[in-house]
Amino acid sequence: MSEHEKWMRRAIELSVQNVEKGGGPFGAVIVKDGQLIAEGYNRVTALNDPTMHAEVMAIREACKKLNTFDLSGCIIYTSCEPCPMCLGAVYWARISEMYFANTKQDADSIGFSDEFIYKEIEKPYHLRTLKTHQILREEALTAFEKWKVKEDKIQY
């Protein structure tokens, strides 16, 4: 068994255990230099928080444990191809590599479809299902201007 298979089996094990506890069928682990850094599993219904997906949970734990927002050098193993939110979080965390097991089509076949989000993202904001309005842009630009000239900022 390869190291990658070992860690993926742990992500799958977390997903199965979570279903048995009444949660969604998703698990994730983050590894760095061959060491387990963090684990996560879907906690959406348990915590009444739609952002508590397995990948997000694992990323939050890894950042806390490593005391950084930059997970460069880490690998994430996730039991299912990430949804748009989780994929975004993986990129924002700068995780270096990702392995997944189930596909988004597999997830769709059991009622976890993200297709509408992918379609919505492609639309101009005024054509999306979510009523979206832009207001007070000029006022909001003040913070951006301050950021642009700030000399001691931490880039992320």
Side-chain angles (χ1 to χ4, degrees), residues 85-151:
M85 176 184 71
C86 292
L87 185 58
V90 167
Y91 277 104
W92 279 115
R94 296 187 179 107
I95 291 173
S96 299
E97 203 168 348
M98 178 175 72
Y99 291 80
F100 69 91
N102 291 320
T103 66
K104 60 184 176 182
Q105 292 81 11
D106 296 328
D108 184 53
S109 75
I110 61 165
F112 290 92
S113 179
D114 299 320
E115 189 60 31
F116 73 98
I117 297 172
Y118 287 108
K119 288 179 181 177
E120 286 287 298
I121 288 170
E122 294 175 4
K123 296 178 185 177
Y125 72 85
H126 63 281
L127 296 178
R128 294 179 184 161
T129 303
L130 174 65
K131 292 179 182 176
T132 305
H133 314 276
Q134 181 182 26
I135 62 172
L136 301 178
R137 178 176 178 258
E138 293 302 318
E139 287 182 38
L141 283 173
T142 302
F144 282 18
E145 290 301 321
K146 286 182 178 276
W147 175 261
K148 189 169 28 174
V149 298
K150 185 174 175 59
E151 293 187 18

Side-chain angles (χ1 to χ4, degrees), residues 27-38:
V29 298
I30 295 177
V31 174
K32 185 171 187 176
D33 300 325
Q35 299 296 312
L36 177 66
I37 302 298

